[in-house]
Amino acid sequence: MKQCVFVALCLFTFWAQAQTVLVIGDSLTEGYGLDPADAFPAQMEKIFHDKGRKSIKVVNGGISGSTTASGVQRVKWFAKLKPQILVLALGANDGLRGLVTAESKKNLQATIKLARESGMKVLLSKMMMPVNYGAPYRKEFEAMYTGLAKEMKVPLLPFLLEGVGGNPKLNLPDGMHPNAEGQKIVAANLAKALESHL
């Protein structure tokens, strides 16, 4: 009987400490062209587990080609997993398509609002556009994230592809998607940024 009580207490402690981190993004999150185990969400989970934090689960909610318009519906879908933390990494495709930033911002606001109502702490991942998109749009696009983080009072994570974007050695031949080594760097950067929020 005492042994059963001990096991039950251990299980209760584990689940009480367990944390699910959901990453909603596009092909960068999904791990385009790679094995799912090489995508940065899986690599993040490995980093935490290697540090002994085996109760942390990182869910890959990346879908190639997705824009900020998909955010609300995807939060509704993943809410059943009851994640404690949402890393919102949407917007790259909005920028690449030259969409109006006001609409993208509105979509992100709605996504953040719903995630909070669903009990998630939201962390916003910063996105940036390539230099060939012109300074005015790039500046406006980047300001969307800094402004949104301030207005919605959500932590703004570093640029998702910090140290990876533009480096041929860390990207697939298309020059846009990180290869396995690039994904490891993205994972390490995000894992470090997430430490204080876990």
Side-chain angles (χ1 to χ4, degrees), residues 2-67:
K2 289 182 178 180
Q3 186 176 7
C4 290
V5 172
F6 176 74
V7 171
L9 285 172
C10 287
L11 287 173
F12 176 79
T13 301
F14 174 82
W15 288 113
Q17 295 176 341
Q19 281 190 299
T20 297
V21 178
L22 168 64
V23 186
I24 288 183
D26 45 42
S27 56
L28 300 174
T29 300
E30 185 181 44
Y32 175 83
L34 304 174
D35 186 282
D38 289 325
F40 77 78
Q43 289 298 318
M44 281 174 60
E45 183 174 281
K46 184 177 184 302
I47 289 172
F48 290 129
H49 288 191
D50 288 346
K51 290 182 177 181
R53 307 187 72 173
K54 298 185 182 297
S55 63
I56 297 176
K57 179 176 178 58
V58 182
V59 177
N60 188 336
I63 299 177
S64 292
S66 59
T67 65

Side-chain angles (χ1 to χ4, degrees), residues 6-142:
F6 176 74
V7 171
L9 285 172
C10 287
L11 287 173
F12 176 79
T13 301
F14 174 82
W15 288 113
Q17 295 176 341
Q19 281 190 299
T20 297
V21 178
L22 168 64
V23 186
I24 288 183
D26 45 42
S27 56
L28 300 174
T29 300
E30 185 181 44
Y32 175 83
L34 304 174
D35 186 282
D38 289 325
F40 77 78
Q43 289 298 318
M44 281 174 60
E45 183 174 281
K46 184 177 184 302
I47 289 172
F48 290 129
H49 288 191
D50 288 346
K51 290 182 177 181
R53 307 187 72 173
K54 298 185 182 297
S55 63
I56 297 176
K57 179 176 178 58
V58 182
V59 177
N60 188 336
I63 299 177
S64 292
S66 59
T67 65
T68 58
S70 70
V72 168
Q73 288 303 318
R74 288 161 71 188
V75 166
K76 288 180 180 178
W77 171 258
F78 283 107
K80 61 186 178 182
L81 299 178
K82 299 189 182 303
Q84 287 81 24
I85 294 177
L86 167 64
V87 174
L88 186 54
L90 282 173
N93 286 319
D94 295 52
L96 292 175
R97 297 176 189 180
L99 301 182
V100 178
T101 56
E103 286 301 311
S104 299
K105 183 177 180 180
K106 183 178 177 181
N107 293 334
L108 290 171
Q109 286 173 324
T111 303
I112 292 170
K113 183 175 183 292
L114 179 60
R116 282 175 165 169
E117 291 171 353
S118 301
M120 304 176 209
K121 178 175 183 177
V122 183
L123 307 178
L124 183 62
S125 180
K126 184 179 180 181
M127 298 292 180
M128 296 172 68
M129 286 292 98
V131 293
N132 61 325
Y133 274 71
Y137 186 73
R138 283 170 46 227
K139 184 176 181 180
E140 181 182 321
F141 185 81
E142 188 174 344

Side-chain angles (χ1 to χ4, degrees), residues 159-167 170-171 181-182 185-186 189:
F159 173 43
L160 187 69
L161 299 181
E162 188 70 44
V164 175
N167 187 335
L170 298 174
N171 287 274
E181 287 305 308
I185 294 175
V186 174
N189 291 341

